[in-house]
Amino acid sequence: MKFDNFTYKAQEAIEGALGIARDYSHQQVGEAHLLLALLKQEDGVLRSILERLGAPLKGMEDETVSLLLKIPRVESGDPQVYFSNSLQALFKIASREASALKDEYVSSEHLGIALSESKDAQVSALFRKYGVTKQAILA
C-alpha cells in the first residue's frame, strides 16, 4: 500500500506500528499496534481528541499493551512483518473518511475514525468502553 496521501504524523504512526510489532515479535501489524502508536504520539491529533472526549490515555495505552501481549510471538529470528488484512481495510476506510471530509490527506484523525469502527473486536470494545465513537470524534 502507498502512503503518499497520508500526513507525516499518520505515516509516523504507521512506522511506529511496524516498530511495535517488531518489538513484540509479531508477524502481523494489526489495529492494536496502530492504536498504540497513535496513543504514543505525544503531540498527536488523536491523543488530543481522546483527551477532549475524557478518555484516559494511560488506561487506553495499558489496555492496548495487554491486547498486544495476548498475540502469539514469533521466536525464530527476525520475522518478516506485514499488515494484516483488517489493517489494510482500515487504511482504506481512513482514506474514504478523508475524502468524505474533503481532506486532501489522510491524517491521524481519519485513522482514529477508522479505528473507532474497527473490525477488531477488542479494539472496538476498548473504544466503546470509553465512549469513543465516530460521531464523538467528528464533533
Side-chain angles (χ1 to χ4, degrees):
M1 175 161 222
K2 293 178 119 183
F3 297 103
D4 297 346
N5 65 328
F6 283 59
T7 64
Y8 172 74
K9 292 302 275 184
Q11 290 179 25
E12 184 181 274
I14 293 165
E15 283 296 319
L18 285 164
I20 290 167
R22 286 187 188 98
D23 291 346
Y24 283 83
S25 299
H26 294 156
Q27 205 165 17
Q28 281 192 78
V29 183
E31 287 94 334
H33 298 94
L34 180 61
L35 175 57
L36 185 58
L38 287 164
L39 289 170
K40 287 183 172 285
Q41 283 185 331
E42 289 297 324
D43 56 345
V45 173
L46 186 61
R47 280 182 64 93
S48 174
I49 291 169
L50 293 173
E51 284 176 330
R52 280 187 251 145
L53 293 176
L57 298 178
K58 179 70 172 125
M60 287 186 79
E61 194 172 315
D62 291 346
E63 289 185 54
T64 304
V65 167
S66 293
L67 296 177
L68 293 174
L69 290 172
K70 294 176 186 175
I71 298 172
R73 299 169 58 102
V74 177
E75 298 296 335
S76 61
D78 190 21
Q80 183 176 354
V81 179
Y82 60 92
F83 295 125
S84 67
N85 289 338
S86 59
L87 186 59
Q88 291 179 48
L90 186 132
F91 293 146
K92 290 177 185 172
I93 292 167
S95 293
R96 282 196 297 267
E97 288 297 332
S99 294
L101 293 170
K102 309 247 188 291
D103 291 329
E104 188 175 345
Y105 292 95
V106 177
S107 71
S108 299
E109 176 186 357
H110 304 116
L111 292 172
I113 291 169
L115 280 167
S116 74
E117 299 184 328
S118 175
K119 300 293 185 230
D120 181 313
Q122 295 174 319
V123 170
S124 61
L126 180 61
F127 270 62
R128 278 193 314 275
K129 177 179 178 178
Y130 295 111
V132 180
T133 63
K134 176 180 177 177
Q135 293 76 21
I137 292 172
L138 290 171

